[in-house]
């Protein structure tokens, strides 16, 4: 069943080949490549996460027991003693200042769930869900919180 699901979903989500790139597409692709190179050359960020950012991100997690590839669940993170927060916050800020994002946070554990209850399930009647790293979720929530705060600062009502 795993091989069948792999074949089915890899066909559904395979990258489409583009036979013709217009001059605009080529310019956009080159701009994105140059932008990516520019981002890698950037110095460290001008901000760091605060303990309040980190606490908010943890509080906003849903208390689910499903875990991603790192075998850590949201519930586990929510149950961490606050004395451990500073260690994780230092690690997050180190990742932020060095422009790194751990590669294992970019992988997901995929599960197939049946759309309906039946004894024999065809692959077309399943839906896939991807479980990602919970620490990656917390890091992302901190980033989003910081972005929202900066967007509000830049907004000037008329």
């Amino acid at each position: 069943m795993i091989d069948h699901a792999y074949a089915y979903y890899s066909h559904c989500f395979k990258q489409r080949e583009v036979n013709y790139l217009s001059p605009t597409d080529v310019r956009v692709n080159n701009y994105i490549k140059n932008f990516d190179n520019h981002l890698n050359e950037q110095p460290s960020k001008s901000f760091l996460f605060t303990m309040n950012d980190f606490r908010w991100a943890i509080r906003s997690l849903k208390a689910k027991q499903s875990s991603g590839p790192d075998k850590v669940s949201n519930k586990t993170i929510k149950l961490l003693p606050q004395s451990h927060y500073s260690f994780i916050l230092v690690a997050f800020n180190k990742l932020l200042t060095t422009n790194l994002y751990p590669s294992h946070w970019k992988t997901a554990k995929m599960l197939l769930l049946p759309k309906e209850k039946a004894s024999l399930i065809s692959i077309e009647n399943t839906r896939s869900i991807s479980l990602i790293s919970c620490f990656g979720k917390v890091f992302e929530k901190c980033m989003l919180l910081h972005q929202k705060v900066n967007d509000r600062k830049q907004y000037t009502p008329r």
Side-chain angles (χ1 to χ4, degrees), residues 39-51:
L39 282 179
N40 291 333
E41 297 168 0
Q42 289 293 312
S44 62
K45 304 280 188 270
S46 61
F47 67 92
L48 296 174
F49 298 138
T50 65
M51 187 58 78

Side-chain angles (χ1 to χ4, degrees), residues 5 9-10 16 59 72-73 86 93 95-96 104 107-108 113 116 128 130 132-133 140 142 145 153:
Y9 282 108
S10 62
R16 307 286 185 238
R59 278 195 310 266
V72 177
S73 68
S86 60
N93 282 330
L95 291 172
L96 189 65
H104 63 277
T107 59
L113 299 177
E116 55 198 40
S128 63
S130 298
I132 60 174
S133 170
E140 186 177 337
C142 288
L145 176 68
K153 286 180 184 175

Side-chain angles (χ1 to χ4, degrees), residues 12-30:
C12 290
F13 297 113
K14 76 177 181 180
Q15 196 171 20
R16 307 286 185 238
E17 289 187 28
V18 178
N19 294 333
Y20 173 76
L21 288 176
S22 70
T24 304
D25 293 338
V26 171
R27 278 194 309 257
V28 168
N29 286 342
N30 289 336

